[in-house]
Amino acid sequence: MPVNYATPSPDQLHAVAGARLGVAEAGIRKANRRDLTLIELAPGSRVAGVFTQNRFCAAPVQLCKKHLAGGDIRALVINTGIANAGTGEPGLQAAHQTCQAAARILDVRADQVLPFSTGVIMEPLPVERIVAGLPACQSALKADGWFEAAHAIMTTDTMAKAASVQRVIAGQPVTITGIAKGAGMIKPNMATMLGFVATDAIVSQAMLERLVKEVADESFNCVTVDGDTSTNDSFVIVATGRGRARFETIDAPHWQEFKAAVTEVARQLAQAIVRDGEGATKFIEIAVDGARSRDEAKAVGYAVAHSPLVKTAFFASDPNLGRILGAIGNAWGNDPALRDLDVAKVKVWLGDVLVAENGGRAASYREEDGAAAMKPAEIIVRVDLGRGGAAAKVWTCDFSYDYVKINADYRS
């Protein structure tokens, strides 16, 4: 079960004017499950996205980038079960057919449709099932369809992930609602799941493209479950422009307040992915400060969060301090600037317990205090590098026996 997370109820997910969602059971890989989602966007909506950096990026990712370059997006199609990655030219053709089918029923152009897929890699997409299922999605379109859509995009997730806020910004009401999926194959650089956030605010295309990158960097690019970056990772922000709040330049009044609200939704979704990490029993925050730069702080945070030895120690509530120090020391492999790290200045805490300083075990540290700090379902590891004023946070989870079981049985 997810660590201290529950899916918001339907009435907690606010409709975003200008966006309608519908889901269907298309039988893409398994029968009797919702596995196809259609999101219809009102004319004039603006869309921006960031995508996986995996060189084997999936066919839908390739097509999304191409269609976004043309602007004027009117629909999103999301299927689960089959990733349509590692499928070559036939996979691209299947993604094209998906867009064409959605365009026909919505009376828009095929290049105004963005396709998204998630699931098993290197298996052909049964596009005929998507084509057959889309009319049912269209019939189900509704403004308050976020709850159903959150469930329809799941793969190994045990809980649907959604978040929603309403704010008064610059004297105008603003609604922001989003959904995401992800539990495994989760690592940052960008983004590490499927995520869709919509707002009714009026946002210029230039500012939306800036926003999606900055929000991703503060949310989805701060999480890791297993250090593997998927072939299909995508994060999209939609601004339907159906509200009255307007943000068209960096100098727009209350832009930072609006950005913070969008980031809040994205961060809730990103943390929900970690809380529902495959086999997770603990949610862990790695907070690094005293760095020379934010990137340096992140490099150390990821080094700790990615370490299987650290993650298994957290699962066992075993304060094996050498694993944490070793992970911090290994960060230089990813960031050459850390090669001059003075380990004598590094301090490490488990919760409020100082466990390491002056290059070794803290004089005040007691093993029983460390063990007690590792027992809760939520744990904070603090690292002070003692070499600057920059900081960053990374969120991860432990590795349990169930992680291996889930991934050993993934295709069954």
Side-chain angles (χ1 to χ4, degrees), residues 3 7 9 20 36 49 57 89 112 148 161 183 188 229 241 267 292 309 315 326 331 334 354 378 386 405 411:
V3 181
T7 307
S9 62
R20 297 198 301 158
L36 185 62
C57 65
E89 183 59 29
Q112 293 178 297
E148 291 85 352
K161 300 164 181 69
T229 300
R267 192 171 288 154
R292 289 177 180 168
L309 292 177
F315 172 61
N334 297 317
L354 178 64
E378 299 201 24
K405 293 178 182 177
R411 296 204 303 164

Side-chain angles (χ1 to χ4, degrees), residues 95-348:
H96 275 291
Q97 288 176 259
T98 296
C99 294
Q100 290 165 352
R104 281 194 299 271
I105 64 174
L106 295 177
D107 193 25
V108 299
R109 300 190 315 271
D111 63 0
Q112 293 178 297
V113 180
L114 300 182
F116 302 87
S117 298
T118 182
V120 178
I121 297 169
M122 288 188 71
E123 290 190 10
L125 183 71
V127 67
E128 69 284 353
R129 298 177 190 174
I130 293 176
V131 172
L134 279 171
C137 289
Q138 183 192 28
S139 297
L141 285 172
K142 57 182 181 178
D144 58 351
W146 292 95
F147 183 80
E148 291 85 352
H151 286 80
I153 65 175
M154 294 166 57
T155 49
T156 59
D157 310 61
T158 67
M159 299 283 282
K161 300 164 181 69
S164 187
V165 300
Q166 288 186 317
R167 298 280 189 272
V168 175
I169 302 176
Q172 302 294 341
V174 175
T175 298
I176 305 163
T177 299
I179 58 175
K181 63 79 51 183
M185 219 176 193
I186 302 297
K187 177 183 177 291
N189 275 339
M190 176 51 242
T192 47
M193 28 38 79
L194 296 184
F196 309 94
V197 172
T199 177
D200 57 359
I202 303 166
V203 186
S204 69
Q205 187 65 36
M207 291 309 297
L208 196 65
E209 290 174 2
R210 176 173 182 156
L211 180 68
V212 74
K213 293 174 183 177
E214 293 181 355
V215 168
D217 198 44
E218 294 291 337
S219 56
F220 296 112
N221 281 346
C222 294
V223 299
T224 180
V225 169
D226 48 23
D228 279 326
T229 300
S230 169
T231 54
N232 293 60
D233 303 332
S234 308
F235 172 48
V236 168
I237 298 181
V238 174
T240 67
R242 287 303 189 263
R244 295 192 298 273
R246 183 180 295 271
F247 308 98
E248 297 189 301
T249 67
I250 190 66
D251 299 322
H254 303 279
W255 165 256
Q256 292 300 327
E257 187 179 351
F258 171 67
K259 175 185 168 183
V262 177
T263 302
E264 177 185 340
V265 169
R267 192 171 288 154
Q268 287 183 38
L269 295 173
Q271 290 190 5
I273 288 173
V274 172
R275 292 178 184 279
D276 192 27
E278 290 171 342
T281 70
K282 294 178 180 177
F283 175 84
I284 304 156
E285 177 178 285
I286 314 294
V288 181
D289 59 21
R292 289 177 180 168
S293 69
R294 187 170 182 274
D295 287 345
E296 182 176 279
K298 266 195 171 182
V300 172
Y302 291 145
V304 176
H306 287 157
S307 169
L309 292 177
V310 171
K311 292 158 78 70
T312 50
F314 276 113
F315 172 61
S317 299
D318 175 20
N320 194 333
L321 306 182
R323 293 182 177 183
I324 297 175
L325 293 186
I328 295 170
N330 277 331
W332 67 265
N334 297 317
D335 186 351
L338 281 166
R339 289 175 180 166
D340 64 347
L341 177 67
D342 185 350
V343 298
K345 294 182 179 180
V346 176
K347 294 183 179 181
V348 181

